[in-house]
Amino acid sequence: MSRIILETGRYAEKPYYVERFYVNLYSVEELCYLFVEKAELLDQDIMQHEMVQWLDEQCGLNQLAHSLYILLNQKGSTVAYVGTILEYVNLYPEEVIARTEEVIKANEGLNPYERKKAKADYLLQNRKYYAALEQYHSLLARIPETDKILQAKILHNMGVSCAGMFMFKQAAEWFMQSYQIGHEEENLISYLAAMRMSCQDKDYITFIAEHPEYHDASLAVEKRINQAVGQFEGTDENRMLFTLRVFKEEGNSTLGNTVPYYNEIEKLTNSLKEKYREYVS
């Protein structure tokens, strides 16, 4: 998290670590920023005695801490807790605070399974694919058998998690299970896209030929792939690949050498390995 200009209290010598969001906080302004940006994920778990103690001792906000201690002792709501902090710091205009409180209040109506899914969704959005997949697995085993809509959503996101880790065969299985439950066309398209990524071209063509019921969805897959290819052409990654081709061609020329090419390949490979380690951590 980037540092915010300090107006209330002081910077903490010891940060407060918010485990759910994988972030260290150094000021109450940073805490307010977190509340506003992640309002849809806030629940009573955010109301921690340790946080209030940190605001009191590390940020020097004794008056605010006193009000929060009272809320904790009275088992006040998440809306009241977050609202008290936002209003005290006065970092945001009234309409932003009101909107944040409305989001939190609306999410209080979610059942425990929907809340757990929201937390797993946050991990997925931040490319913590393996951690998200574990959360979805655990949740899938607990939700009522009758809640087919939530099952289908979880299975779809399990497919997305696997695809993010290049586990396309497993992703295809989850997408198909989601499609069989919810019959959403998007899941069928995702299934075919994962199949296409996991198969040789000739095997995929044979598969589609054997399943004429997938013809229209397969056309949608090809359309999206062509769009993705077009978008990729203008990216930094594509320019990097073009540079690598130049290095290789120069290396294969009479006067060239292959050292720059292999140096760049090593850098690219190490970067991809590091990203993959982050995905599966």
Side-chain angles (χ1 to χ4, degrees):
M1 177 181 292
S2 58
R3 288 296 178 89
I4 297 174
I5 297 174
L6 183 66
E7 295 182 355
T8 306
R10 60 173 182 262
Y11 280 121
E13 293 183 6
K14 295 181 180 179
Y16 181 77
Y17 181 66
V18 186
E19 184 175 0
R20 179 186 301 183
F21 301 113
Y22 305 97
V23 64
N24 279 317
L25 303 177
Y26 288 87
S27 70
V28 70
E29 281 84 4
E30 292 178 354
L31 178 61
C32 290
Y33 176 82
L34 185 72
F35 285 164
V36 171
E37 293 298 311
K38 308 299 181 185
E40 70 279 3
L41 296 175
L42 300 180
D43 55 29
Q44 287 194 329
D45 288 345
I46 204 68
M47 300 169 60
Q48 296 294 326
H49 181 275
E50 292 79 9
M51 178 186 289
V52 180
Q53 186 177 5
W54 173 77
L55 289 169
D56 187 2
E57 298 176 359
Q58 290 291 320
C59 299
L61 299 171
N62 312 109
Q63 185 178 346
L64 174 60
H66 177 72
S67 300
L68 296 175
Y69 280 130
I70 293 175
L71 272 175
L72 291 180
N73 291 334
Q74 294 178 347
K75 297 183 179 179
S77 68
T78 309
V79 173
Y81 181 87
V82 172
T84 297
I85 296 174
L86 291 176
E87 290 172 10
Y88 182 89
V89 178
N90 197 29
L91 181 65
Y92 292 96
E94 291 183 4
E95 58 269 25
V96 173
I97 296 176
R99 185 170 65 249
T100 301
E101 291 176 338
E102 287 176 6
V103 171
I104 297 171
K105 189 174 183 179
N107 286 339
E108 287 182 337
L110 298 178
N111 64 46
Y113 306 111
E114 291 170 329
R115 289 179 185 172
K116 289 184 180 296
K117 178 182 175 295
K119 294 176 183 179
D121 291 346
Y122 176 79
L123 292 171
L124 178 60
Q125 292 163 7
N126 286 272
R127 298 185 177 184
K128 299 287 184 180
Y129 297 125
Y130 186 77
L133 189 60
E134 284 190 322
Q135 295 275 348
Y136 290 130
H137 263 296
S138 175
L139 180 56
L140 191 63
R142 297 179 184 179
I143 62 174
E145 185 65 27
T146 54
D147 197 342
K148 299 298 184 183
I149 294 177
L150 188 57
Q151 284 183 24
K153 290 180 179 178
I154 292 171
L155 287 164
H156 172 84
N157 287 358
M158 290 171 71
V160 174
S161 299
C162 288
M165 295 185 287
F166 311 107
M167 299 162 54
F168 295 113
K169 286 186 178 180
Q170 183 62 66
E173 292 180 17
W174 296 128
F175 287 135
M176 176 49 71
Q177 287 188 40
S178 182
Y179 176 69
Q180 290 171 339
I181 292 174
H183 305 290
E184 293 284 341
E185 185 73 8
E186 185 61 33
N187 282 312
L188 179 58
I189 292 172
S190 297
Y191 165 72
L192 293 177
M195 287 290 294
R196 195 182 190 285
M197 295 297 293
S198 66
C199 297
Q200 297 289 336
D201 286 350
K202 60 184 179 67
D203 295 330
Y204 177 75
I205 292 171
T206 300
F207 171 77
I208 294 299
E210 293 173 349
H211 294 83
E213 68 274 21
Y214 296 157
H215 176 72
D216 290 345
S218 70
L219 294 180
V221 170
E222 296 308 311
K223 182 178 179 180
R224 293 189 185 185
I225 288 176
N226 290 334
Q227 290 174 343
V229 170
Q231 293 171 355
F232 178 74
E233 289 178 352
T235 64
D236 291 338
E237 287 81 0
N238 186 50
R239 284 189 284 271
M240 182 185 296
L241 291 175
F242 175 78
T243 301
L244 288 175
R245 285 196 296 270
V246 171
F247 281 148
K248 187 174 183 181
E249 290 170 1
E250 289 178 349
N252 289 333
S253 68
T254 305
L255 299 177
N257 68 80
T258 58
V259 173
Y261 171 73
Y262 287 111
N263 285 343
E264 293 301 319
I265 283 291
E266 184 177 6
K267 290 179 184 178
L268 179 59
T269 302
N270 289 337
S271 174
L272 292 173
K273 286 180 179 178
E274 185 60 34
K275 286 185 179 179
Y276 188 75
R277 281 192 287 267
E278 292 177 2
Y279 296 161
V280 300
S281 62

